[in-house]
Amino acid sequence: MRKISSLALVLMLSQMAAGGGVAYVAGASYFDPTTMGAPLTWAAGSINYYTDQGDLSVTLPGASADSFVATAFSVWTSIPTAAVSATQAGQLAEDVSGANVALIGGALTLPTDIQSNAVTTPVAIVYDNDGSVTDALLGSGAGASGFCASNAAFGGVDNFATDAHFAHALIILNGNCAATSAQLPDLQYHLVRVIGGVLGLDWSQANLNVITRAPAPTTEDYAGFPVMHEVDPPACVPVAKCYSDNGIVDPAQPKTDDQAALSRLYPVTAQNASGFPQKQISSESTARIRGSVSFSDANGGPGQAMQGVNVVARLIDPATGVPSGRFVASSISGFLFCGNAGNIVTGYTDSSGQNFDRFGSSDTALEGFFDLAGLPVPSGGSAQYQIMVEAADPLWSEHAGPYGPSSQVMPSGASPPMVVNVSVGGDVQQDIVMQGSAVATAQWYRPTSYASPAQLPLSGSWAGALNNYGVADFFQFAAKSNRTLSVTVNALDESGNPSINKVLPVIGMWGMANPGQSPAPAATPTALNTGFLGESRLDARILEGGAFRIGIADYRGDGRPDYRYNARVFYGDTVFPARASAGGGTPFTVQGLGLRSDAVVQVANFTTPVLASSATRLLVETPSVADGVYDVQLSDVNSGGNSLMSSVLTVGAGPNDKLKLIAGTNPATPVGAQAPLPFTVLVVADGNTPVAGASVEFSSSPNIAFSACSGGASCTLLTDQSGLASTWMTVLSANLMTLTAKLAPATYPNAKQVQTTLMGTESQLDLTLATPSVWVAQGAQVGLLLTARLLSNGNAVSGRTLNYRLVQGTDVLSASSAQTDSTGNAAANLQLSAASTGAQVSICVAPSNNPCQTFSAIIVPASSLQLQAVAGVLQVTAAGQNFQRVVVRVVDSATPPHLVLGGGVFFQSLIGRTPQDQPIVWTGEAGISQNAMPVIIGKTQATVQSDANGLAGFPLSTGGISGDVAILGSASIGNASVQFAAQELGQ
């Protein structure tokens, strides 16, 4: 006894289809090189078989079972032109049963004389009395009588000698399928088919209408339907129901196609005729038609050979001129050729570690060869045969022919039926050129090799073809680390439609430094590995950035003019800008390869619409999400492809950003009064780069009223486009208050923070100014409302008189006094005319002019004016939506800067459009770039004076112009400027 794996036995018993009546052909490896291209046979056509010592069933005890087996062999050995014999040379050393065949832990225990290396019992026939051996080999329950249609008889060749001869085969007969005499005809039929495989015959295809009933089969069709057809429909139980033509035809009897195939494999020749005295020399008693099927070239002549085409010969009835259904033979072109040699992408060995090319010749002269030797000539002289071609049916002949082990290929083009004259002993060559077939054409890329890949197109999408046998296409491109990508290849037919019956694309990926590892480090496990018709897809992860090579090959290592494909690399490389606001609405560009408008873009699991697209860029807007660093996920709905860019987009505050205190140090402030200076912070990255849209939480203890929090004691603000967040403060109690600003505490538990303090005071009479000092742009003409508030222990004092007196400057006050209202407020207007020297106003409580406060207007020269972006400097909107205003802030050059009132900010903008309304605004390297210089179709400009908060705004509009419209402009004052841009996208 010896243990072998169950999988190994199944592999050994499986056929390597070749077609043309030949199941096995010696290949470029394993076998003696001198035998390459030779069909595998039993040496001298002699088969010695050994039968089980036990009974097959009650109906077929040992001796009867032996006679049953001998009858099955005889239907083959009795073919008069086939040099084959079968002899029962003895019995096995045991009764093979469940007692000595067992599956334990995935390993089979078998008697030694039925194992594949038992060459002294070259054909072992097991009588599986109770189905237990079948269960062990095929799986639990497989030996039950309900599975007799598939498991009544099974087995095959499981050992090959290097001289291209069979060395061993195993056949198992299931006794549960021989329990009654009514079951025996079907068992005989199945056994005859298994013996045909053991002899080396492949599945064949002729008269498929016997199965399909389209058209309805005739008596002649039944009489010519080969026993070695591949598939029995499930309803064909008993088999006579489908194949006997109401008892006229014996389904188990080899037909013309079977007889011709066996005669080609084991011909009776002058050299061996003495060993077969009752038989006829094949070449002298039959006719032969052979040739090659080929594509047509550009001129209609023969091009590359075409394998996998079923060539069918039918005797023409001389009386009626009708092709026969009885005298029909077939041969699949390329049956001697290697239908699957493997490829560099998925490798050159099968799952058992053996080379694919051990079967089938590598000689391309045999690529389209067919052989119809053994054709009967009933009249004994000459005859005519109709030759026609057809596809090897992927349903009913799935595993027949050279393509059978992988996938059938539909022929390209067509050839009309032709008539060939033959005679007994004649050998006619008839080549077939498939007219209208695909023609090999030059591709946009030069011929490639692993060492010399072509550069991937900038679009990431291309069309290609594997025009010649054994070729693969290679392309190179660069990718960044921490990315994933998908490479999609769609197999096409000649009309450009998706196909599963042409090329079987497999995709591999290597680093450029890789010497050519096979299988590829990243590869599709199989061809057509997705649920999309005709699609193969490789999903790869880039761990280390650099240059990469993509390889596209046919799974079989095949190549022909109709192996066309479309390919695409779906890859997200970079996002611009890499920062976005936590408030959402930041337009950014994904740059990559193979991008389309229907791509799905996700940030933090939120899908954001694609606003504009090209093959290399997608324009989108960020959703409103919490601060942090996010992946950007791209998905392609058409192929299932995806690309993940890890940690490429920082929303709001990043983990290494800094928070700086800009302003907030104030003098003691009375309860109920606003502190003179706001609490202002700056968020920066990389030391000094302002961060817009970062979340800043303001809080106080004890409570204070923050103006930006609508009077609340805490809230979260987003920094503006200059990285600033600011709020005024009103004192609520006479305490020392601690004011805190934290950077994105909802995201970062140990959030960075800054603090300042403010002392709250109260007395019998406190006078405060809403704005003690104002910085005014030089030359501005502005009116200043000087508001003062009178308080007593934090409560408003009404009905008191405040005196206003200009103590510096020549400007005009609207009144010298004012009464406080119910809120304690009083106001007078100071008109500054062409401000140049500044002003001071003393405000005091009458009648004693005590207490007093001084208001100051400070002039800022033009040379000291600066601009800060606040909002709206980069916008993208859909058609029909309004733009927000562009807002800038005018400040001086002090540290920290002061807000400047009255600065005349000059806004100007150009409205442009590209030809054909192409999108032109992309966020990118400098914020804005454009594919083509737009045609200028409009212009707007205005000067806007900054308010008391230093803000100046400018509305943007396309002026009613539709389509993809861009607005590019600037805001300037003095020597300072801010650029802005916006785009309204077309419909």
Side-chain angles (χ1 to χ4, degrees):
M1 295 286 184
R2 184 168 66 91
K3 293 183 178 180
I4 61 174
S5 74
S6 176
L7 175 62
L9 184 64
V10 171
L11 290 171
M12 286 188 288
L13 295 179
S14 64
Q15 280 196 333
M16 287 295 299
V22 176
Y24 303 92
V25 177
S29 63
Y30 180 77
F31 296 98
D32 187 315
T34 62
T35 68
M36 187 177 73
L40 269 65
T41 60
W42 291 97
S46 177
I47 300 171
N48 291 322
Y49 65 90
Y50 293 76
T51 57
D52 201 329
Q53 288 191 10
D55 297 334
L56 178 57
S57 67
V58 173
T59 305
L60 288 178
S64 298
D66 290 348
S67 178
F68 185 85
V69 170
T71 300
F73 270 106
S74 71
V75 301
W76 294 109
T77 60
S78 63
I79 294 173
T81 53
V84 62
S85 64
T87 302
Q88 182 180 3
Q91 287 191 312
L92 298 173
E94 65 282 306
D95 174 8
V96 182
S97 67
N100 48 34
V101 175
L103 176 64
I104 302 174
L108 277 171
T109 300
L110 297 173
T112 57
D113 58 350
I114 71 169
Q115 294 176 14
S116 61
N117 61 353
V119 295
T120 57
T121 52
V123 177
I125 299 178
V126 172
Y127 299 154
D128 182 16
N129 182 273
D130 59 1
S132 58
V133 174
T134 301
D135 283 350
L137 296 178
L138 300 183
S140 178
S145 60
F147 294 98
C148 288
S150 57
N151 301 340
F154 63 97
V157 178
D158 57 10
N159 194 356
F160 310 91
T162 57
D163 64 353
H165 288 116
F166 298 131
H168 188 266
L170 174 64
I171 298 175
I172 297 93
L173 299 183
N174 184 353
N176 288 329
C177 303
T180 67
S181 59
Q183 292 177 295
L184 299 185
D186 276 20
L187 178 61
Q188 183 81 356
Y189 163 82
H190 292 301
L191 176 57
V192 166
R193 284 163 54 82
V194 172
I195 291 174
V198 168
L199 290 171
L201 291 179
D202 186 22
W203 303 124
S204 66
Q205 176 179 301
N207 296 357
L208 277 182
N209 61 314
V210 171
I211 294 177
T212 65
R213 299 299 197 259
T218 66
T219 297
E220 291 291 289
D221 293 333
Y222 284 107
F225 184 61
V227 71
M228 291 305 291
H229 65 275
E230 181 174 351
V231 176
D232 289 326
C236 291
V237 178
V239 293
K241 175 182 177 181
C242 293
Y243 307 140
S244 73
D245 191 21
N246 296 315
I248 298 174
V249 176
D250 181 359
Q253 185 64 39
K255 311 304 188 296
T256 299
D257 187 47
D258 305 306
Q259 295 177 37
L262 192 67
S263 298
R264 290 195 295 272
L265 192 58
Y266 297 93
V268 178
T269 67
Q271 289 74 30
N272 64 17
S274 61
F276 301 92
Q278 304 302 316
K279 297 197 174 188
Q280 308 163 11
I281 294 176
S282 305
S283 63
E284 295 178 357
S285 55
T286 61
R288 181 187 190 193
I289 300 173
R290 58 186 170 85
S292 183
V293 181
S294 65
F295 289 83
S296 59
D297 62 16
N299 299 316
Q304 180 179 335
M306 185 186 301
Q307 62 176 318
V309 180
N310 195 42
V311 183
V312 182
R314 296 180 184 276
L315 178 70
I316 297 177
D317 187 324
T320 64
V322 175
S324 173
R326 178 188 298 265
F327 297 105
V328 56
S330 64
S331 176
I332 299 181
S333 65
F335 70 95
L336 296 176
F337 192 64
C338 185
N340 182 7
N343 64 88
I344 188 174
V345 173
T346 57
Y348 299 98
T349 58
D350 62 19
S351 58
S352 66
Q354 300 184 73
N355 289 345
F356 284 118
D357 68 356
R358 69 189 185 278
F359 293 108
S361 173
S362 61
D363 182 358
T364 55
L366 298 174
E367 187 175 5
F369 178 70
F370 67 92
D371 192 349
L372 291 165
L375 297 176
V377 182
S379 64
S382 63
Q384 289 185 321
Y385 270 86
Q386 180 201 69
I387 304 297
M388 60 174 293
V389 298
E390 64 184 14
D393 193 283
L395 176 63
W396 301 111
S397 304
E398 180 182 4
H399 299 106
Y403 287 136
S406 50
S407 176
Q408 298 293 359
V409 179
M410 295 300 292
S412 180
S415 177
M418 59 184 69
V419 175
V420 178
N421 296 313
V422 300
S423 59
V424 174
D427 185 346
V428 179
Q429 179 166 340
Q430 180 63 64
D431 293 331
I432 301 172
V433 178
M434 302 291 281
Q435 299 302 316
S437 65
V439 176
T441 56
Q443 300 302 306
W444 61 268
Y445 49 92
R446 56 174 170 72
T448 68
S449 66
Y450 186 88
S452 182
Q455 189 65 45
L456 198 73
L458 292 177
S459 65
S461 301
W462 70 97
L466 301 176
N467 275 332
N468 300 301
Y469 182 80
V471 302
D473 286 345
F474 296 95
F475 304 88
Q476 65 174 326
F477 73 109
K480 290 183 168 62
S481 60
N482 298 318
R483 306 286 192 272
T484 67
L485 58 85
S486 292
V487 184
T488 303
V489 177
N490 298 103
L492 307 176
D493 62 18
E494 296 93 325
S495 300
N497 298 314
S499 175
I500 60 173
N501 301 122
K502 292 293 186 179
V503 63
L504 295 180
V506 288
I507 311 160
M509 190 168 170
W510 302 259
M512 287 300 291
N514 189 297
Q517 174 184 348
S518 180
T524 49
T526 60
L528 309 180
N529 62 323
T530 76
F532 296 88
L533 181 65
E535 178 186 289
S536 297
R537 190 182 71 237
L538 171 64
D539 298 322
R541 178 177 296 277
I542 308 298
L543 299 177
E544 184 176 346
F548 295 91
R549 176 191 289 104
I550 290 172
I552 299 171
D554 177 69
Y555 171 74
R556 301 157 289 220
D558 198 14
R560 39 193 271 178
D562 57 345
Y563 279 9
R564 300 173 181 176
Y565 66 85
N566 286 335
R568 178 158 67 115
V569 176
F570 186 66
Y571 166 64
D573 183 82
T574 313
V575 298
F576 296 107
R579 306 289 301 230
S581 171
T586 302
F588 72 97
T589 295
V590 176
Q591 188 157 341
L593 297 170
L595 308 179
R596 294 177 181 170
S597 60
D598 56 2
V600 176
V601 183
Q602 290 183 306
V603 177
N605 295 321
F606 288 95
T607 299
T608 180
V610 174
L611 304 176
S613 68
S614 75
T616 58
R617 291 190 288 188
L618 300 176
L619 181 63
V620 295
E621 281 190 337
T622 58
S624 176
V625 295
D627 302 70
V629 180
Y630 290 94
D631 302 337
V632 175
Q633 174 79 52
L634 308 180
S635 302
D636 180 54
V637 296
N638 300 302
S639 67
N642 62 84
S643 179
L644 177 68
M645 296 176 283
S646 299
S647 304
V648 293
L649 182 66
T650 301
V651 175
N656 299 316
D657 291 349
K658 300 293 189 294
L659 184 66
K660 295 183 177 181
L661 178 64
I662 300 301
T665 303
N666 283 284
T669 302
V671 175
Q674 178 177 287
L677 296 175
F679 186 10
T680 303
V681 295
L682 172 67
V683 179
V684 294
D686 303 323
N688 56 12
T689 303
V691 174
S695 300
V696 179
E697 180 189 80
F698 288 91
S699 62
S700 61
S701 180
N703 287 351
I704 200 169
F706 290 118
S707 63
C709 304
S710 301
S714 65
C715 66
T716 297
L717 304 180
L718 297 181
T719 56
D720 63 22
Q721 290 182 327
S722 291
L724 296 171
S726 184
T727 179
W728 296 96
M729 302 157 291
T730 297
V731 176
L732 301 179
S733 63
N735 289 294
L736 179 65
M737 289 152 288
T738 300
L739 314 179
T740 303
K742 290 184 178 181
L743 185 58
T747 299
Y748 305 110
N750 298 317
K752 300 177 179 68
Q753 66 178 36
V754 294
Q755 290 183 324
T756 188
T757 58
L758 177 62
M759 176 62 74
T761 63
E762 57 183 10
S763 66
Q764 284 297 108
L765 202 61
D766 291 311
L767 181 64
T768 65
L769 300 181
T771 309
S773 300
V774 172
W775 282 259
V776 182
Q778 187 176 21
Q781 295 188 19
V782 295
L784 302 175
L785 188 63
L786 308 185
T787 300
R789 191 179 191 199
L790 190 62
L791 300 165
S792 175
N793 295 317
N795 299 311
V797 177
S798 61
R800 295 289 297 270
T801 300
L802 302 184
N803 293 326
Y804 288 77
R805 181 169 63 90
L806 185 66
V807 295
Q808 180 182 325
T810 59
D811 303 288
V812 177
L813 277 169
S814 62
S816 60
S817 64
Q819 289 268 323
T820 60
D821 59 17
S822 60
T823 64
N825 289 320
N829 190 65
L830 174 66
Q831 187 65 42
L832 297 180
S833 300
S836 59
T837 60
Q840 283 190 345
V841 176
S842 174
I843 304 169
C844 299
V845 180
S848 60
N849 286 331
N850 186 43
C852 294
Q853 294 288 347
T854 299
F855 169 82
S856 298
I858 303 162
I859 303 303
V860 180
S863 61
S864 296
L865 296 176
Q866 305 291 321
L867 277 182
Q868 296 175 341
V870 175
V873 297
L874 182 60
Q875 304 179 58
V876 177
T877 68
Q881 294 183 351
N882 295 325
F883 293 115
Q884 69 178 100
R885 292 194 314 156
V886 175
V887 179
V888 296
R889 182 186 295 112
V890 183
V891 296
D892 64 8
S893 57
T895 303
H898 303 107
L899 306 177
V900 176
L901 171 67
V905 181
F906 179 63
F907 291 89
Q908 61 177 345
S909 65
L910 300 177
I911 303 173
R913 182 177 9 216
T914 56
Q916 291 83 46
D917 280 348
Q918 294 298 310
I920 66 171
V921 175
W922 297 92
T923 58
E925 298 80 1
I928 291 295
S929 62
Q930 50 193 64
N931 328 355
M933 196 65 187
V935 178
I936 305 303
I937 53 179
K939 179 179 180 179
T940 58
Q941 61 184 46
T943 298
V944 180
Q945 201 171 63
S946 59
D947 62 16
N949 291 313
L951 301 178
F954 180 69
L956 300 181
S957 172
T958 63
I961 300 169
S962 61
D964 287 282
V965 181
I967 301 175
L968 308 178
S970 65
S972 59
I973 188 171
N975 297 322
S977 65
V978 169
Q979 305 297 312
F980 60 86
Q983 182 183 21
E984 179 181 284
L985 300 172
Q987 297 288 348

